[in-house]
Amino acid sequence: TIDQYVGEQVHIIQWRNKIASDKLRKQMGISPATLNRKLHGKVTWSVEDLMNAANALGVQRRTSSTDVIGRCRDPRDARW
């Protein structure tokens, strides 16, 4: 699912940037259990979740999500 893909990508960026899960979840304003479920694709990612995760991970927004998704045949091809 798209939620699994997003969770995987967030986890990869988190790992590469050596950001602790506790720091990520606190900056996202969610519980440890909710972060775990999101990273495993068991809970839907909202736009707010994505923005909070991006801020916590130091990811800069390059383009709007509608621009990216509108150009993709498959949403999993979107690169944030």
Side-chain angles (χ1 to χ4, degrees):
T1 69
I2 191 72
D3 292 314
Q4 290 170 323
Y5 177 78
V6 170
E8 178 182 28
Q9 296 304 305
V10 168
H11 190 253
I12 289 168
I13 295 167
Q14 177 191 359
W15 181 80
R16 285 183 182 159
N17 292 339
K18 298 179 173 118
I19 296 174
S21 292
D22 198 49
K23 179 181 177 183
L24 176 59
R25 70 119 189 135
K26 283 180 181 176
Q27 289 188 310
M28 290 181 66
I30 59 177
S31 71
T34 300
L35 176 60
N36 186 51
R37 288 193 305 267
K38 285 185 178 293
L39 293 177
H40 287 92
K42 296 177 182 176
V43 175
T44 300
W45 288 82
S46 68
V47 172
E48 183 179 3
D49 291 331
L50 293 172
M51 297 300 290
N52 289 338
N55 289 335
L57 297 171
V59 174
Q60 295 180 6
R61 189 178 134 216
R62 293 184 221 156
T63 186
S64 75
S65 59
T66 54
D67 290 341
V68 172
I69 293 171
R71 288 181 286 180
C72 296
R73 293 176 193 212
D74 185 329
R76 291 172 293 187
D77 292 337
R79 300 291 181 248
W80 303 101

